[in-house]
Amino acid sequence: RKEVEQDPGPFNVPEGATVAFNCTYSNSASQSFFWYRQDCRKEPKLLMSVYSSGNEDGRFTAQLNRASQYISLLIRDSKLSDSATYLCVVNPADRGSTLGRLYFGRGTQLTVWP
Amino acid sequence: ETGVTQTPRHLVMGMTNKKSLKCEQHLGHNAMYWYKQSAKKPLELMFVYNFKEQTENNSVPSRFSPECPNSSHLFLHLHTLQPEDSALYLCASSQKGGGTYTGELFFGEGSRLTVL
């Protein structure tokens, strides 16, 4: 079983739409969770961390459900500039390392059209 | 100028060639990484260096040989590669502070490698 499984998409939505991405992880001891964004032919960049209580950053809301080992990202009022691949990322706690031993999902591709 | 710079951006090599990828970070971070990104696959961690010491080798074949002369520079030496090694190779850096890790990796733009 893969460490991180993501809804593969692609998602094609009009401007202004609300879109949600889902992700599940296999290691129940995982401690920290993130969403990264990768534009076409560019490097991944941190979008936001995901906290147990859920967190919001402008139009973006991330939620974590530890019981179901499930992470989500909600984008409201989509903009053309939101078109990218969104990567679900998990830091497993059992590696014993506090460095970047991150597991990446394959990513979900989003295209926002005018 | 980006915080993490990779050269070359594109590389085509034959299976018998020897080449190197270079990464430099200007962020003052103390950890550097090599990741591999293949089409339709998730990013795969290859190597981790913490203060120039290799702390992780994720079962990478010996035809990939990393070198970290200081905490700002990282190399990936390539020799006798296979066509299936064609991929985007991403360098990243992070700051480990106080025993915790923020989860933010700063990536370079990558070196796109094609092995013929």
Side-chain angles (χ1 to χ4, degrees), chain B residues 63-110:
Chain B
R63 58 186 183 270
F64 294 92
S65 174
E67 178 190 358
C68 189
N70 54 62
S71 56
S72 298
H73 292 87
L74 186 63
F75 295 88
L76 188 62
H77 304 300
L78 316 169
H79 62 98
T80 59
L81 294 192
Q82 305 297 313
E84 59 266 28
D85 296 323
S86 299
L88 180 68
Y89 289 85
L90 289 160
C91 174
S93 70
S94 72
Q95 182 64 26
K96 175 179 182 292
T100 60
Y101 170 64
T102 65
E104 183 158 19
L105 291 177
F106 292 81
F107 286 90
E109 292 184 289

mmCIF file of all heavy atoms in Angstrom, chain B residues 63-110:
data_model
loop_
_atom_site.group_PDB
_atom_site.id
_atom_site.type_symbol
_atom_site.label_atom_id
_atom_site.label_comp_id
_atom_site.label_asym_id
_atom_site.label_seq_id
_atom_site.Cartn_x
_atom_site.Cartn_y
_atom_site.Cartn_z
ATOM 1 N N ARG B 63 25.014 3.728 -9.050
ATOM 2 C CA ARG B 63 25.327 4.568 -10.217
ATOM 3 C C ARG B 63 25.004 6.043 -9.942
ATOM 4 O O ARG B 63 25.364 6.916 -10.718
ATOM 5 C CB ARG B 63 24.598 4.063 -11.464
ATOM 6 C CG ARG B 63 23.093 4.005 -11.368
ATOM 7 C CD ARG B 63 22.509 3.351 -12.634
ATOM 8 N NE ARG B 63 21.064 3.331 -12.644
ATOM 9 C CZ ARG B 63 20.343 2.332 -12.146
ATOM 10 N NH1 ARG B 63 20.939 1.281 -11.595
ATOM 11 N NH2 ARG B 63 19.013 2.399 -12.186
ATOM 12 N N PHE B 64 24.312 6.302 -8.828
ATOM 13 C CA PHE B 64 24.096 7.671 -8.357
ATOM 14 C C PHE B 64 24.981 7.868 -7.129
ATOM 15 O O PHE B 64 24.835 7.147 -6.135
ATOM 16 C CB PHE B 64 22.637 7.890 -7.949
ATOM 17 C CG PHE B 64 21.671 7.799 -9.089
ATOM 18 C CD1 PHE B 64 21.062 6.598 -9.403
ATOM 19 C CD2 PHE B 64 21.359 8.920 -9.850
ATOM 20 C CE1 PHE B 64 20.163 6.507 -10.463
ATOM 21 C CE2 PHE B 64 20.463 8.846 -10.903
ATOM 22 C CZ PHE B 64 19.861 7.641 -11.207
ATOM 23 N N SER B 65 25.852 8.858 -7.178
ATOM 24 C CA SER B 65 26.783 9.077 -6.087
ATOM 25 C C SER B 65 26.712 10.523 -5.627
ATOM 26 O O SER B 65 27.092 11.437 -6.359
ATOM 27 C CB SER B 65 28.201 8.742 -6.580
ATOM 28 O OG SER B 65 29.151 9.079 -5.605
ATOM 29 N N PRO B 66 26.204 10.781 -4.419
ATOM 30 C CA PRO B 66 26.099 12.153 -3.949
ATOM 31 C C PRO B 66 27.403 12.624 -3.307
ATOM 32 O O PRO B 66 28.225 11.833 -2.851
ATOM 33 C CB PRO B 66 24.997 12.070 -2.897
ATOM 34 C CG PRO B 66 25.162 10.698 -2.327
ATOM 35 C CD PRO B 66 25.650 9.824 -3.452
ATOM 36 N N GLU B 67 27.546 13.947 -3.298
ATOM 37 C CA GLU B 67 28.693 14.559 -2.630
ATOM 38 C C GLU B 67 28.243 15.873 -2.027
ATOM 39 O O GLU B 67 27.583 16.668 -2.702
ATOM 40 C CB GLU B 67 29.823 14.811 -3.630
ATOM 41 C CG GLU B 67 31.047 15.496 -3.027
ATOM 42 C CD GLU B 67 32.039 15.945 -4.073
ATOM 43 O OE1 GLU B 67 31.812 15.700 -5.281
ATOM 44 O OE2 GLU B 67 33.039 16.573 -3.678
ATOM 45 N N CYS B 68 28.612 16.097 -0.777
ATOM 46 C CA CYS B 68 28.222 17.342 -0.112
ATOM 47 C C CYS B 68 29.462 17.959 0.531
ATOM 48 O O CYS B 68 29.776 17.666 1.689
ATOM 49 C CB CYS B 68 27.137 17.064 0.928
ATOM 50 S SG CYS B 68 26.397 18.541 1.639
ATOM 51 N N PRO B 69 30.183 18.812 -0.190
ATOM 52 C CA PRO B 69 31.432 19.363 0.338
ATOM 53 C C PRO B 69 31.230 20.362 1.474
ATOM 54 O O PRO B 69 32.104 20.529 2.318
ATOM 55 C CB PRO B 69 32.061 20.048 -0.881
ATOM 56 C CG PRO B 69 30.907 20.337 -1.783
ATOM 57 C CD PRO B 69 29.910 19.250 -1.560
ATOM 58 N N ASN B 70 30.077 21.025 1.488
ATOM 59 C CA ASN B 70 29.748 21.951 2.579
ATOM 60 C C ASN B 70 28.235 22.091 2.626
ATOM 61 O O ASN B 70 27.535 21.563 1.754
ATOM 62 C CB ASN B 70 30.438 23.306 2.376
ATOM 63 C CG ASN B 70 30.135 23.908 1.017
ATOM 64 O OD1 ASN B 70 28.972 24.191 0.700
ATOM 65 N ND2 ASN B 70 31.165 24.090 0.199
ATOM 66 N N SER B 71 27.740 22.782 3.598
ATOM 67 C CA SER B 71 26.285 22.807 3.795
ATOM 68 C C SER B 71 25.546 23.632 2.746
ATOM 69 O O SER B 71 24.321 23.660 2.732
ATOM 70 C CB SER B 71 25.946 23.325 5.191
ATOM 71 O OG SER B 71 26.527 24.593 5.398
ATOM 72 N N SER B 72 26.291 24.274 1.843
ATOM 73 C CA SER B 72 25.629 25.071 0.804
ATOM 74 C C SER B 72 25.623 24.393 -0.559
ATOM 75 O O SER B 72 24.919 24.851 -1.457
ATOM 76 C CB SER B 72 26.328 26.432 0.643
ATOM 77 O OG SER B 72 26.265 27.169 1.822
ATOM 78 N N HIS B 73 26.433 23.357 -0.730
ATOM 79 C CA HIS B 73 26.581 22.733 -2.042
ATOM 80 C C HIS B 73 26.305 21.243 -1.973
ATOM 81 O O HIS B 73 26.709 20.560 -1.031
ATOM 82 C CB HIS B 73 28.001 22.956 -2.586
ATOM 83 C CG HIS B 73 28.283 24.377 -2.913
ATOM 84 N ND1 HIS B 73 28.751 25.287 -1.974
ATOM 85 C CD2 HIS B 73 28.156 25.072 -4.087
ATOM 86 C CE1 HIS B 73 28.896 26.463 -2.546
ATOM 87 N NE2 HIS B 73 28.553 26.368 -3.825
ATOM 88 N N LEU B 74 25.668 20.772 -3.013
ATOM 89 C CA LEU B 74 25.359 19.346 -3.109
ATOM 90 C C LEU B 74 25.504 18.935 -4.566
ATOM 91 O O LEU B 74 25.067 19.654 -5.464
ATOM 92 C CB LEU B 74 23.915 19.101 -2.636
ATOM 93 C CG LEU B 74 23.429 17.653 -2.528
ATOM 94 C CD1 LEU B 74 24.237 16.889 -1.482
ATOM 95 C CD2 LEU B 74 21.946 17.631 -2.164
ATOM 96 N N PHE B 75 26.148 17.791 -4.769
ATOM 97 C CA PHE B 75 26.324 17.273 -6.122
ATOM 98 C C PHE B 75 25.688 15.889 -6.215
ATOM 99 O O PHE B 75 25.558 15.167 -5.221
ATOM 100 C CB PHE B 75 27.816 17.151 -6.467
ATOM 101 C CG PHE B 75 28.541 18.458 -6.526
ATOM 102 C CD1 PHE B 75 29.111 19.004 -5.386
ATOM 103 C CD2 PHE B 75 28.645 19.161 -7.720
ATOM 104 C CE1 PHE B 75 29.783 20.226 -5.431
ATOM 105 C CE2 PHE B 75 29.320 20.373 -7.779
ATOM 106 C CZ PHE B 75 29.883 20.907 -6.625
ATOM 107 N N LEU B 76 25.322 15.531 -7.428
ATOM 108 C CA LEU B 76 24.890 14.166 -7.707
ATOM 109 C C LEU B 76 25.673 13.699 -8.925
ATOM 110 O O LEU B 76 25.470 14.197 -10.034
ATOM 111 C CB LEU B 76 23.383 14.107 -7.971
ATOM 112 C CG LEU B 76 22.787 12.701 -8.093
ATOM 113 C CD1 LEU B 76 22.959 11.923 -6.788
ATOM 114 C CD2 LEU B 76 21.306 12.769 -8.467
ATOM 115 N N HIS B 77 26.611 12.793 -8.684
ATOM 116 C CA HIS B 77 27.441 12.273 -9.763
ATOM 117 C C HIS B 77 26.742 11.071 -10.398
ATOM 118 O O HIS B 77 26.225 10.192 -9.687
ATOM 119 C CB HIS B 77 28.819 11.874 -9.227
ATOM 120 C CG HIS B 77 29.534 12.985 -8.531
ATOM 121 N ND1 HIS B 77 29.864 14.165 -9.168
ATOM 122 C CD2 HIS B 77 29.962 13.109 -7.245
ATOM 123 C CE1 HIS B 77 30.487 14.976 -8.323
ATOM 124 N NE2 HIS B 77 30.553 14.365 -7.147
ATOM 125 N N LEU B 78 26.740 11.077 -11.721
ATOM 126 C CA LEU B 78 25.992 10.080 -12.481
ATOM 127 C C LEU B 78 26.939 9.273 -13.368
ATOM 128 O O LEU B 78 27.782 9.867 -14.065
ATOM 129 C CB LEU B 78 24.960 10.780 -13.375
ATOM 130 C CG LEU B 78 24.156 11.914 -12.740
ATOM 131 C CD1 LEU B 78 23.378 12.685 -13.804
ATOM 132 C CD2 LEU B 78 23.229 11.376 -11.679
ATOM 133 N N HIS B 79 26.819 7.973 -13.353
ATOM 134 C CA HIS B 79 27.632 7.155 -14.251
ATOM 135 C C HIS B 79 26.920 5.854 -14.582
ATOM 136 O O HIS B 79 26.251 5.276 -13.739
ATOM 137 C CB HIS B 79 29.020 6.899 -13.655
ATOM 138 C CG HIS B 79 28.995 6.137 -12.369
ATOM 139 N ND1 HIS B 79 29.212 4.774 -12.291
ATOM 140 C CD2 HIS B 79 28.756 6.544 -11.107
ATOM 141 C CE1 HIS B 79 29.128 4.400 -11.021
ATOM 142 N NE2 HIS B 79 28.853 5.447 -10.298
ATOM 143 N N THR B 80 27.084 5.442 -15.826
ATOM 144 C CA THR B 80 26.444 4.237 -16.365
ATOM 145 C C THR B 80 24.964 4.167 -16.016
ATOM 146 O O THR B 80 24.469 3.165 -15.464
ATOM 147 C CB THR B 80 27.161 2.944 -15.913
ATOM 148 O OG1 THR B 80 27.148 2.880 -14.478
ATOM 149 C CG2 THR B 80 28.568 2.921 -16.418
ATOM 150 N N LEU B 81 24.275 5.247 -16.323
ATOM 151 C CA LEU B 81 22.838 5.289 -16.039
ATOM 152 C C LEU B 81 22.057 4.477 -17.062
ATOM 153 O O LEU B 81 22.573 4.110 -18.124
ATOM 154 C CB LEU B 81 22.339 6.731 -16.039
ATOM 155 C CG LEU B 81 22.874 7.633 -14.938
ATOM 156 C CD1 LEU B 81 22.077 8.938 -14.893
ATOM 157 C CD2 LEU B 81 22.838 6.966 -13.576
ATOM 158 N N GLN B 82 20.812 4.219 -16.713
ATOM 159 C CA GLN B 82 19.897 3.473 -17.570
ATOM 160 C C GLN B 82 18.806 4.416 -18.092
ATOM 161 O O GLN B 82 18.509 5.441 -17.450
ATOM 162 C CB GLN B 82 19.239 2.346 -16.766
ATOM 163 C CG GLN B 82 20.237 1.408 -16.089
ATOM 164 C CD GLN B 82 21.095 0.684 -17.101
ATOM 165 O OE1 GLN B 82 20.584 0.144 -18.080
ATOM 166 N NE2 GLN B 82 22.406 0.677 -16.873
ATOM 167 N N PRO B 83 18.190 4.076 -19.197
ATOM 168 C CA PRO B 83 17.113 4.943 -19.712
ATOM 169 C C PRO B 83 16.008 5.190 -18.689
ATOM 170 O O PRO B 83 15.431 6.275 -18.663
ATOM 171 C CB PRO B 83 16.594 4.161 -20.925
ATOM 172 C CG PRO B 83 17.783 3.396 -21.413
ATOM 173 C CD PRO B 83 18.529 2.996 -20.154
ATOM 174 N N GLU B 84 15.734 4.224 -17.810
ATOM 175 C CA GLU B 84 14.682 4.415 -16.806
ATOM 176 C C GLU B 84 15.068 5.418 -15.716
ATOM 177 O O GLU B 84 14.232 5.779 -14.873
ATOM 178 C CB GLU B 84 14.283 3.078 -16.149
ATOM 179 C CG GLU B 84 15.408 2.341 -15.458
ATOM 180 C CD GLU B 84 16.073 1.306 -16.351
ATOM 181 O OE1 GLU B 84 16.068 1.470 -17.587
ATOM 182 O OE2 GLU B 84 16.597 0.320 -15.794
ATOM 183 N N ASP B 85 16.321 5.866 -15.730
ATOM 184 C CA ASP B 85 16.752 6.909 -14.799
ATOM 185 C C ASP B 85 16.373 8.300 -15.302
ATOM 186 O O ASP B 85 16.571 9.297 -14.576
ATOM 187 C CB ASP B 85 18.268 6.840 -14.587
ATOM 188 C CG ASP B 85 18.700 5.544 -13.920
ATOM 189 O OD1 ASP B 85 17.963 5.064 -13.033
ATOM 190 O OD2 ASP B 85 19.772 5.019 -14.299
ATOM 191 N N SER B 86 15.857 8.376 -16.505
ATOM 192 C CA SER B 86 15.415 9.666 -17.040
ATOM 193 C C SER B 86 14.297 10.209 -16.141
ATOM 194 O O SER B 86 13.307 9.521 -15.891
ATOM 195 C CB SER B 86 14.907 9.512 -18.466
ATOM 196 O OG SER B 86 15.929 9.030 -19.320
ATOM 197 N N ALA B 87 14.480 11.422 -15.678
ATOM 198 C CA ALA B 87 13.528 12.002 -14.724
ATOM 199 C C ALA B 87 13.942 13.437 -14.436
ATOM 200 O O ALA B 87 14.956 13.926 -14.934
ATOM 201 C CB ALA B 87 13.516 11.209 -13.416
ATOM 202 N N LEU B 88 13.149 14.094 -13.603
ATOM 203 C CA LEU B 88 13.507 15.408 -13.081
ATOM 204 C C LEU B 88 14.147 15.196 -11.704
ATOM 205 O O LEU B 88 13.547 14.563 -10.834
ATOM 206 C CB LEU B 88 12.259 16.276 -12.953
ATOM 207 C CG LEU B 88 12.472 17.698 -12.417
ATOM 208 C CD1 LEU B 88 13.263 18.533 -13.444
ATOM 209 C CD2 LEU B 88 11.135 18.367 -12.109
ATOM 210 N N TYR B 89 15.348 15.681 -11.536
ATOM 211 C CA TYR B 89 16.054 15.544 -10.262
ATOM 212 C C TYR B 89 16.001 16.881 -9.543
ATOM 213 O O TYR B 89 16.493 17.899 -10.034
ATOM 214 C CB TYR B 89 17.484 15.058 -10.489
ATOM 215 C CG TYR B 89 17.475 13.613 -10.939
ATOM 216 C CD1 TYR B 89 17.309 13.285 -12.282
ATOM 217 C CD2 TYR B 89 17.559 12.572 -10.008
ATOM 218 C CE1 TYR B 89 17.240 11.965 -12.691
ATOM 219 C CE2 TYR B 89 17.496 11.251 -10.413
ATOM 220 C CZ TYR B 89 17.330 10.960 -11.753
ATOM 221 O OH TYR B 89 17.254 9.638 -12.153
ATOM 222 N N LEU B 90 15.390 16.848 -8.380
ATOM 223 C CA LEU B 90 15.154 18.061 -7.611
ATOM 224 C C LEU B 90 16.045 18.085 -6.369
ATOM 225 O O LEU B 90 16.099 17.114 -5.620
ATOM 226 C CB LEU B 90 13.692 18.145 -7.164
ATOM 227 C CG LEU B 90 12.681 18.421 -8.272
ATOM 228 C CD1 LEU B 90 11.290 17.996 -7.835
ATOM 229 C CD2 LEU B 90 12.671 19.904 -8.627
ATOM 230 N N CYS B 91 16.698 19.194 -6.188
ATOM 231 C CA CYS B 91 17.462 19.433 -4.971
ATOM 232 C C CYS B 91 16.589 20.271 -4.043
ATOM 233 O O CYS B 91 15.787 21.103 -4.511
ATOM 234 C CB CYS B 91 18.742 20.184 -5.325
ATOM 235 S SG CYS B 91 19.737 20.714 -3.926
ATOM 236 N N ALA B 92 16.730 20.064 -2.757
ATOM 237 C CA ALA B 92 15.967 20.861 -1.794
ATOM 238 C C ALA B 92 16.818 21.124 -0.572
ATOM 239 O O ALA B 92 17.795 20.412 -0.305
ATOM 240 C CB ALA B 92 14.675 20.135 -1.395
ATOM 241 N N SER B 93 16.448 22.145 0.168
ATOM 242 C CA SER B 93 17.115 22.414 1.434
ATOM 243 C C SER B 93 16.061 22.733 2.487
ATOM 244 O O SER B 93 14.916 23.064 2.163
ATOM 245 C CB SER B 93 18.104 23.574 1.305
ATOM 246 O OG SER B 93 17.428 24.803 1.133
ATOM 247 N N SER B 94 16.461 22.586 3.737
ATOM 248 C CA SER B 94 15.565 22.933 4.832
ATOM 249 C C SER B 94 16.400 23.316 6.036
ATOM 250 O O SER B 94 17.601 23.041 6.105
ATOM 251 C CB SER B 94 14.633 21.768 5.191
ATOM 252 O OG SER B 94 15.357 20.736 5.838
ATOM 253 N N GLN B 95 15.726 23.924 6.987
ATOM 254 C CA GLN B 95 16.391 24.318 8.213
ATOM 255 C C GLN B 95 15.861 23.469 9.347
ATOM 256 O O GLN B 95 14.664 23.464 9.614
ATOM 257 C CB GLN B 95 16.135 25.797 8.512
ATOM 258 C CG GLN B 95 16.839 26.317 9.744
ATOM 259 C CD GLN B 95 18.349 26.289 9.609
ATOM 260 O OE1 GLN B 95 18.907 26.351 8.506
ATOM 261 N NE2 GLN B 95 19.030 26.173 10.727
ATOM 262 N N LYS B 96 16.745 22.773 9.981
ATOM 263 C CA LYS B 96 16.361 21.983 11.148
ATOM 264 C C LYS B 96 16.717 22.815 12.350
ATOM 265 O O LYS B 96 17.850 23.195 12.529
ATOM 266 C CB LYS B 96 17.132 20.677 11.186
ATOM 267 C CG LYS B 96 16.872 19.837 12.443
ATOM 268 C CD LYS B 96 17.662 18.550 12.398
ATOM 269 C CE LYS B 96 17.382 17.676 13.601
ATOM 270 N NZ LYS B 96 17.878 18.244 14.867
ATOM 271 N N GLY B 97 15.723 23.136 13.155
ATOM 272 C CA GLY B 97 16.013 23.962 14.303
ATOM 273 C C GLY B 97 15.318 23.473 15.548
ATOM 274 O O GLY B 97 14.136 23.155 15.513
ATOM 275 N N GLY B 98 16.029 23.391 16.628
ATOM 276 C CA GLY B 98 15.436 23.054 17.915
ATOM 277 C C GLY B 98 14.820 21.678 17.963
ATOM 278 O O GLY B 98 13.905 21.434 18.742
ATOM 279 N N GLY B 99 15.297 20.769 17.111
ATOM 280 C CA GLY B 99 14.776 19.402 17.160
ATOM 281 C C GLY B 99 13.467 19.215 16.439
ATOM 282 O O GLY B 99 12.920 18.132 16.400
ATOM 283 N N THR B 100 12.958 20.272 15.873
ATOM 284 C CA THR B 100 11.702 20.114 15.135
ATOM 285 C C THR B 100 11.910 20.487 13.681
ATOM 286 O O THR B 100 12.853 21.171 13.320
ATOM 287 C CB THR B 100 10.590 21.006 15.710
ATOM 288 O OG1 THR B 100 11.024 22.366 15.613
ATOM 289 C CG2 THR B 100 10.298 20.661 17.144
ATOM 290 N N TYR B 101 11.013 20.063 12.878
ATOM 291 C CA TYR B 101 11.117 20.308 11.445
ATOM 292 C C TYR B 101 9.800 20.909 10.977
ATOM 293 O O TYR B 101 8.741 20.395 11.262
ATOM 294 C CB TYR B 101 11.406 18.993 10.734
ATOM 295 C CG TYR B 101 11.294 19.087 9.252
ATOM 296 C CD1 TYR B 101 12.163 19.912 8.533
ATOM 297 C CD2 TYR B 101 10.320 18.397 8.567
ATOM 298 C CE1 TYR B 101 12.044 20.026 7.170
ATOM 299 C CE2 TYR B 101 10.204 18.508 7.206
ATOM 300 C CZ TYR B 101 11.075 19.321 6.511
ATOM 301 O OH TYR B 101 10.949 19.432 5.160
ATOM 302 N N THR B 102 9.883 22.000 10.301
ATOM 303 C CA THR B 102 8.663 22.716 9.939
ATOM 304 C C THR B 102 7.921 22.088 8.778
ATOM 305 O O THR B 102 6.755 22.389 8.562
ATOM 306 C CB THR B 102 8.987 24.171 9.556
ATOM 307 O OG1 THR B 102 9.786 24.157 8.359
ATOM 308 C CG2 THR B 102 9.731 24.871 10.661
ATOM 309 N N GLY B 103 8.586 21.238 8.031
ATOM 310 C CA GLY B 103 7.928 20.655 6.872
ATOM 311 C C GLY B 103 8.126 21.456 5.624
ATOM 312 O O GLY B 103 7.624 21.103 4.574
ATOM 313 N N GLU B 104 8.847 22.557 5.704
ATOM 314 C CA GLU B 104 9.039 23.334 4.490
ATOM 315 C C GLU B 104 10.376 22.995 3.855
ATOM 316 O O GLU B 104 11.438 23.267 4.418
ATOM 317 C CB GLU B 104 8.962 24.836 4.755
ATOM 318 C CG GLU B 104 9.095 25.634 3.462
ATOM 319 C CD GLU B 104 8.525 27.016 3.549
ATOM 320 O OE1 GLU B 104 8.340 27.518 4.676
ATOM 321 O OE2 GLU B 104 8.259 27.603 2.471
ATOM 322 N N LEU B 105 10.286 22.397 2.716
ATOM 323 C CA LEU B 105 11.445 22.174 1.865
ATOM 324 C C LEU B 105 11.447 23.257 0.806
ATOM 325 O O LEU B 105 10.415 23.602 0.256
ATOM 326 C CB LEU B 105 11.362 20.816 1.171
ATOM 327 C CG LEU B 105 11.496 19.557 2.019
ATOM 328 C CD1 LEU B 105 11.309 18.329 1.153
ATOM 329 C CD2 LEU B 105 12.837 19.517 2.711
ATOM 330 N N PHE B 106 12.617 23.789 0.540
ATOM 331 C CA PHE B 106 12.783 24.759 -0.535
ATOM 332 C C PHE B 106 13.476 24.032 -1.685
ATOM 333 O O PHE B 106 14.614 23.594 -1.553
ATOM 334 C CB PHE B 106 13.615 25.944 -0.043
ATOM 335 C CG PHE B 106 12.913 26.770 0.989
ATOM 336 C CD1 PHE B 106 12.892 26.381 2.320
ATOM 337 C CD2 PHE B 106 12.261 27.940 0.633
ATOM 338 C CE1 PHE B 106 12.226 27.137 3.282
ATOM 339 C CE2 PHE B 106 11.608 28.717 1.585
ATOM 340 C CZ PHE B 106 11.590 28.304 2.908
ATOM 341 N N PHE B 107 12.767 23.920 -2.784
ATOM 342 C CA PHE B 107 13.273 23.171 -3.927
ATOM 343 C C PHE B 107 13.944 24.086 -4.939
ATOM 344 O O PHE B 107 13.551 25.251 -5.113
ATOM 345 C CB PHE B 107 12.120 22.449 -4.634
ATOM 346 C CG PHE B 107 11.597 21.245 -3.905
ATOM 347 C CD1 PHE B 107 10.571 21.370 -2.993
ATOM 348 C CD2 PHE B 107 12.133 19.991 -4.144
ATOM 349 C CE1 PHE B 107 10.076 20.258 -2.320
ATOM 350 C CE2 PHE B 107 11.641 18.867 -3.481
ATOM 351 C CZ PHE B 107 10.612 19.003 -2.566
ATOM 352 N N GLY B 108 14.928 23.518 -5.629
ATOM 353 C CA GLY B 108 15.438 24.146 -6.837
ATOM 354 C C GLY B 108 14.498 23.833 -7.985
ATOM 355 O O GLY B 108 13.538 23.061 -7.836
ATOM 356 N N GLU B 109 14.773 24.425 -9.159
ATOM 357 C CA GLU B 109 13.893 24.222 -10.308
ATOM 358 C C GLU B 109 14.095 22.865 -10.964
ATOM 359 O O GLU B 109 13.317 22.481 -11.825
ATOM 360 C CB GLU B 109 14.105 25.345 -11.318
ATOM 361 C CG GLU B 109 13.607 26.696 -10.794
ATOM 362 C CD GLU B 109 13.721 27.783 -11.844
ATOM 363 O OE1 GLU B 109 14.853 28.202 -12.146
ATOM 364 O OE2 GLU B 109 12.670 28.207 -12.359
ATOM 365 N N GLY B 110 15.132 22.161 -10.563
ATOM 366 C CA GLY B 110 15.319 20.808 -11.059
ATOM 367 C C GLY B 110 16.254 20.715 -12.247
ATOM 368 O O GLY B 110 16.474 21.691 -12.980
#
